[in-house]
Amino acid sequence: MSDQQDNLHAMRHSLAHIMATAVVRLWPGVKLGIGPVVENGFYYDIDNGETTISEDDFEKIEAEMQKIIKDNQSFERSEKPVDMAIAWAQESGQAYKEELLNDLKRAGTTVAKDLDAEELGTITEGEGAVENVSFYTNGDFTDLCRGPHVESTGKAGAFKLMRVAGAYWRGNENNAQMQRLYGVAFESPKELRKHLEMLEEAKKRDHRKLGQELDLFVLSDLVGPGLPLFTPRGTVLRNELIKFSEELQREGGYEAVWAPHMTRNELYKVSGHFDKYPERFDVSSVESSDEFMMKPMNCPHVTQIYASRPRSYRDLPLRYMETTTMYRDEKSGELHGLSRVRSLTQDDSHAFVRHDQIADEMRSVLGMVKDMYAVLGLPLSVDLSFRDDSDNYFGDVSVWEEAQTVIEQVAKDEELDYRVEPGEAAFYGPKIDIIVTDALGRKWQCATVQLDFIQPERFELEYAGEDGNMHRPAMVHKAILGSIERFLSVYIEHTAGKFPPWLAPEQVRLLTVNQEDATVAFADGVVQKAKDLGLRVTLDNANESVGKKIRNSEVMKIPYTVVLGEKEIQLGKVTPRIRKDMQVQDMANEHTVENFLQSIANEVKSRTTKSSL
RNA sequence: GCCACCUUAGCUCAGUUGGUUAGAGCGGCUGUUUUGUAAACAGUAGGUCGUCGGUUCGAAUCCGACAGGUGGCUCCA
């Protein structure tokens, strides 16, 4: 961290204390949790009993904070023996601080993942608890804290309180729900203003807003939450992305398969999912006494295609792909536009491989992911999702170690810039997850490559080896786009709806200058030529001014707009208007109709046009 | 599911401390206009103010429940 970053960090952390000071002044009985620095700001978790705090209270809290800043109280560091600190917490009724101190005393650390180490006083490794913990005092407010802070409250920078949210104490939903007060903070009012303006800009490219404006998808209360419907325009986007994904997969040797959208529960009892997520399976009976469910994933289904006949080592790798929709009963508060839905479509694939084929297959599917994201201009951020020491995982630890070693080696071979994330694995195996970011900086998992030794075991999959004995294959799962709904949410925000021509729902829009017979006949002719080349073209022959029709085309972010009138009829040539982000501005000259349409068709076919975003 | 907030016409929004027939712009429709690269003009239709219940002489406005949504938390095969 640079000095400047250190300073900003200290400012934000100091503001968390100043906010806590203000909250304690306004609501003296309030219990404090923790108050760390986060991206762009800070928060503090508080428990104010029955009297909850709402955003309407922010004005008052901010006013109190300004007073404290004006007082320019110095931040004084002090140390206490841990037992004295516990006594302090008890006396002041700070039960959450007391719990933290007890953990510190007993274990030398606190385990909850959400607890920022910087908040916890002096941490020592392993056995042997801490002796002293540090405190910071400003004015009449003292808090357990490792620091550092700015010198005094007057130097805390520019801030704004943003939100109040619920947060479980120590990130555990069985614990009390506290209120988390979020603020953003910067060194100067100017930078703060810039940040707030950036948030306003980000709102404009929110995929839910653009989905409405560009007529891509709809959410209907009657259909139900988390069940998006796609309009003709949105469906073009979906289908073009799927087509590209399936082309890449076919090149990699994958064959399409198909599985029904419902299944007997029994399938998921064998796979282990049923016991793992019992609350997630809403079941319904169909005629017989059997219970059926909508499929929440594909792998167990595909195992039954593999298992349908004897397999030989010569058959492997056996590669199946299926772009299909599945259904998951997400909790209501977890739904989010297209990013988190109840009906999601994956460009899924499963390869059944011998152990000596694992690395090659993983490299192959990673290559597909890289190709796709390169063409779309999306940066890859890679997590290796591994297991941790918990008992959330099936199978022997030794099997996991083998799988994780292979995955990390592949990541190194492919020169991926990755981070290892313990505890993020699926219960059946470790994953390579591709993470992309939405307009507001929230991270979403899209592509995934997974290695699975567990399901072949549970479904007792086998092949006859060269040695005449039966062997167990491994499974390589992958999705390039991941959930297409989620992928679209991120991609819409990334492009702000300015899709490259090969994806654009409407590639060319023709506008007539007037409604005279000659003009209309000419325009119809151009439409037919464009359609013959497979282009998605529309004709706007409305009785409106040319300016108005241009505007409508711009608003819909159509790549190519062409005005047709007397001049074009005379010359047989057009001068296209090209969406400003596109890198083909040299096409904005006069072209014959045929040349113009042909060059768009070429551009679409090669999928090479990247928007210059 | 949990915490806070939001829900008025197809869309974006206005609606003063509860007080007559709830407004605007865009969009739609009809007519006039026949338009040359980001919004022609006029008229007109469209709302049991998310739903249900309550308080009140009177509710878009106050209270409650439910539904949907937003920001987080938790979860995410």
Side-chain angles (χ1 to χ4, degrees):
Chain A
M1 244 195 246
S2 69
D3 288 351
Q4 199 186 357
Q5 283 171 319
D6 280 343
N7 185 44
L8 184 56
H9 191 274
M11 288 169 114
R12 286 171 174 165
H13 191 48
S14 300
L15 279 162
H17 279 235
I18 293 167
M19 181 167 71
T21 309
V23 168
V24 170
R25 277 192 193 172
L26 292 165
W27 295 277
V30 69
K31 290 184 196 140
L32 300 175
I34 58 165
V37 172
V38 291
E39 195 173 5
N40 300 320
F42 60 92
Y43 69 77
Y44 217 113
D45 284 349
I46 63 158
D47 178 354
N48 203 25
E50 297 292 301
T51 318
T52 55
I53 291 181
S54 91
E55 281 158 37
D56 294 339
D57 297 315
F58 280 0
E59 206 175 318
K60 165 160 94 168
I61 299 173
E62 284 180 340
E64 200 62 40
M65 289 173 72
Q66 292 299 354
K67 274 192 223 163
I68 295 161
I69 288 170
K70 206 172 158 215
D71 286 350
N72 202 20
Q73 304 166 347
S74 61
F75 281 101
E76 308 279 357
R77 187 178 191 278
S78 61
E79 284 196 13
K80 280 196 215 313
V82 70
D83 286 323
M84 277 183 65
I86 290 169
W88 162 84
Q90 284 169 344
E91 276 164 34
S92 47
Q94 292 294 349
Y96 298 103
K97 298 287 183 191
E98 186 186 340
E99 186 182 324
L100 293 178
L101 284 161
N102 284 336
D103 278 355
L104 271 176
K105 184 186 172 187
R106 187 180 66 247
T109 184
T110 58
V111 282
K113 189 171 131 195
D114 231 319
L115 292 180
D116 194 333
E118 296 175 32
E119 187 60 22
L120 298 179
T122 317
I123 292 173
T124 55
E125 291 296 320
E127 291 293 315
V130 295
E131 287 177 16
N132 289 314
V133 291
S134 62
F135 283 79
Y136 276 81
T137 301
N138 58 287
D140 50 1
F141 178 76
T142 296
D143 197 5
L144 168 69
C145 177
R146 192 175 86 171
H149 282 285
V150 292
E151 201 174 291
S152 61
T153 56
K155 298 187 173 169
F159 74 97
K160 183 176 190 311
L161 300 189
M162 299 297 283
R163 295 253 128 64
V164 45
Y168 298 105
W169 169 236
R170 307 188 99 171
N172 183 334
E173 67 179 322
N174 298 318
N175 286 345
Q177 174 127 86
M178 308 185 74
Q179 289 197 291
R180 180 166 294 178
L181 274 39
Y182 279 97
V184 293
F186 293 87
E187 294 199 34
S188 67
K190 193 178 157 192
E191 285 168 281
L192 175 64
R193 200 166 55 241
K194 235 172 68 187
H195 176 74
L196 297 176
E197 280 165 13
M198 187 277 290
L199 290 181
E200 286 304 308
E201 285 303 306
K203 267 194 210 162
K204 291 184 192 161
R205 48 169 72 200
D206 187 307
H207 75 274
R208 292 162 298 199
K209 183 173 155 67
L210 287 169
Q212 154 73 22
E213 289 171 0
L214 302 180
D215 189 20
L216 300 172
F217 62 89
V218 291
L219 288 156
S220 148
D221 287 4
L222 270 179
V223 175
L227 300 168
L229 310 168
F230 285 80
T231 62
R233 287 174 181 276
T235 305
V236 168
L237 270 180
R238 283 173 67 102
N239 288 348
E240 288 297 328
L241 287 166
I242 290 168
K243 195 166 120 195
F244 188 23
S245 170
E246 293 190 344
E247 273 176 35
L248 291 168
Q249 293 179 72
R250 267 192 206 94
E251 285 164 24
Y254 282 78
E255 295 180 285
V257 295
W258 187 84
H261 286 203
M262 56 188 289
T263 173
R264 287 179 65 208
N265 296 351
E266 200 59 28
L267 181 71
Y268 282 88
K269 289 183 178 158
V270 176
S271 74
H273 291 85
F274 206 95
D275 293 329
K276 194 75 196 163
Y277 303 99
E279 76 291 353
R280 296 260 185 159
F281 288 88
D282 256 353
V283 294
S284 58
S285 302
V286 179
E287 284 208 23
S288 69
S289 57
D290 275 343
E291 288 180 315
F292 285 78
M293 56 184 275
M294 303 302 290
K295 67 172 174 182
M297 57 192 302
N298 300 308
C299 6
H301 304 247
V302 173
T303 63
Q304 298 309 294
I305 299 176
Y306 179 94
S308 65
R309 56 180 60 216
R311 305 291 179 183
S312 141
Y313 73 95
R314 296 175 202 274
D315 297 330
L316 306 189
L318 204 54
R319 303 180 179 98
Y320 298 140
M321 67 171 177
E322 185 188 8
T323 305
T324 187
T325 305
M326 46 233 191
Y327 306 88
R328 297 179 181 179
D329 185 24
E330 305 288 359
K331 294 185 201 166
S332 58
E334 289 159 350
L335 300 171
H336 181 95
L338 289 185
S339 318
R340 189 82 180 266
V341 290
R342 289 187 167 130
S343 61
L344 57 133
T345 309
Q346 272 194 352
D347 55 337
D348 211 354
S349 77
H350 300 88
F352 298 87
V353 298
R354 305 192 307 255
H355 281 223
D356 62 295
Q357 296 170 324
I358 291 171
D360 279 347
E361 195 57 34
M362 293 193 77
R363 271 192 281 272
S364 164
V365 292
L366 264 176
M368 299 172 198
V369 172
K370 282 171 147 180
D371 286 352
M372 169 71 83
Y373 285 67
V375 167
L376 293 169
L378 286 170
L380 291 186
S381 162
V382 182
D383 284 357
L384 302 190
S385 298
F386 286 177
R387 65 171 292 157
D388 56 20
D389 294 334
S390 70
D391 55 4
N392 294 331
Y393 307 96
F394 286 25
D396 291 342
V397 174
S398 62
V399 170
W400 276 82
E401 279 168 1
E402 181 189 342
Q404 293 183 177
T405 305
V406 175
I407 282 199
E408 187 145 15
Q409 191 55 50
V410 168
K412 278 182 182 148
D413 294 348
E414 291 293 305
E415 296 178 341
L416 298 178
D417 183 15
Y418 64 84
R419 290 185 316 176
V420 174
E421 295 285 346
E424 294 295 318
F427 74 83
Y428 53 74
K431 312 186 283 178
I432 301 177
D433 288 326
I434 308 301
I435 311 294
V436 288
T437 309
D438 72 13
L440 285 172
R442 290 174 293 213
K443 297 186 182 313
W444 300 96
Q445 181 211 305
C446 285
T448 182
V449 179
Q450 310 178 357
L451 178 53
D452 179 3
F453 294 138
I454 307 299
Q455 292 195 70
E457 184 76 34
R458 295 185 70 96
F459 286 104
E460 299 177 352
L461 305 182
E462 294 180 320
Y463 66 88
E466 208 169 354
D467 57 7
N469 296 322
M470 299 312 282
H471 299 270
R472 185 130 289 157
M475 282 171 84
V476 175
H477 311 233
K478 81 102 212 33
I480 302 176
L481 300 164
S483 151
I484 285 157
E485 290 77 10
R486 173 178 293 180
F487 183 87
L488 278 173
S489 75
V490 176
Y491 187 65
I492 289 167
E493 299 190 1
H494 179 76
T495 57
K498 295 172 197 156
F499 306 118
W502 70 275
L503 281 174
E506 188 179 337
Q507 294 160 327
V508 187
R509 182 174 292 193
L510 307 172
L511 314 180
T512 52
V513 173
N514 57 48
Q515 282 69 56
E516 285 158 16
D517 290 349
T519 314
V520 174
F522 182 72
D524 285 343
V526 178
V527 167
Q528 194 52 54
K529 282 177 186 150
K531 284 190 174 164
D532 289 346
L533 288 166
L535 295 175
R536 294 184 287 270
V537 60
T538 59
L539 172 60
D540 184 353
N541 189 33
N543 179 7
E544 293 284 356
S545 66
V546 172
K548 175 67 164 290
K549 291 197 263 191
I550 293 275
R551 179 169 196 278
N552 288 342
S553 187
E554 289 281 345
V555 165
M556 292 304 282
K557 307 186 182 191
I558 315 289
Y560 295 100
T561 305
V562 183
V563 176
L564 300 176
E566 194 139 341
K567 198 177 93 190
E568 286 72 22
I569 300 174
Q570 293 295 319
L571 297 172
K573 289 186 172 176
V574 294
T575 309
R577 184 183 168 105
I578 299 173
R579 204 181 58 208
K580 289 189 186 63
D581 61 286
M582 300 209 304
Q583 292 174 334
V584 286
Q585 295 300 327
D586 54 326
M587 276 179 70
N589 302 318
E590 238 177 41
H591 300 272
T592 64
V593 171
E594 288 73 15
N595 285 346
F596 167 64
L597 294 175
Q598 188 61 54
S599 58
I600 299 176
N602 293 343
E603 190 188 343
V604 166
K605 196 177 167 199
S606 63
R607 294 196 182 102
T608 49
T609 305
K610 289 177 200 137
S611 65
S612 55
L613 290 160

